[in-house]
Amino acid sequence: MATKHENGTVLVRQEQKLKPPPMYQVILLNDDYTPMEFVVAIIQEYFNKDRETAMQIMLMVHREGKGMCGVYPKDIASTKVELVLTHARKAGHPLQCVMEEV
Ligand code: TYC
């Protein structure tokens, strides 16, 4: 869209061409050693889920091999992955957490 001003200048509006930023799913992977209760606590603490939802996600991971905990912009997703992995390693558990572009 162009606007002609009385002084002769013409302003041409930039077309909106910015795409929304890509979003990333944060996914927990199953293993045979991490305690179920630890995984439930992780999901509640880092993904702001209530206990019931956290339990459902944990059981989904346990039965299906993986489960989605949330969708975030890149920086937030990668921070969550780091925090989960650090917490799990400090506790001595092999829990794996990854991010995937949606
Ligand atoms: N499979 C684990 C067990 O039986 C529990 C578990 C659930 C581990 C989810 C990891 O992301 C996970 N103790």
Side-chain angles (χ1 to χ4, degrees), residues 37-71:
E37 190 50 49
F38 182 84
V39 178
V40 172
I42 286 271
I43 296 169
Q44 285 185 263
E45 181 169 345
Y46 295 103
F47 302 98
N48 308 314
K49 306 296 190 210
D50 61 34
R51 200 180 153 75
E52 241 173 58
T53 306
M55 185 73 77
Q56 284 168 7
I57 294 171
M58 183 280 293
L59 286 174
M60 165 74 145
V61 179
H62 180 68
R63 293 179 184 138
E64 306 294 329
K66 58 171 149 165
M68 214 263 288
C69 295
V71 178

Side-chain angles (χ1 to χ4, degrees), residues 28-36 39 58 61-62 95-96:
L28 284 178
L29 303 180
N30 191 34
D31 66 72
D32 292 338
Y33 305 102
T34 305
M36 289 185 174
V39 178
M58 183 280 293
V61 179
H62 180 68
L95 181 63
Q96 284 297 344

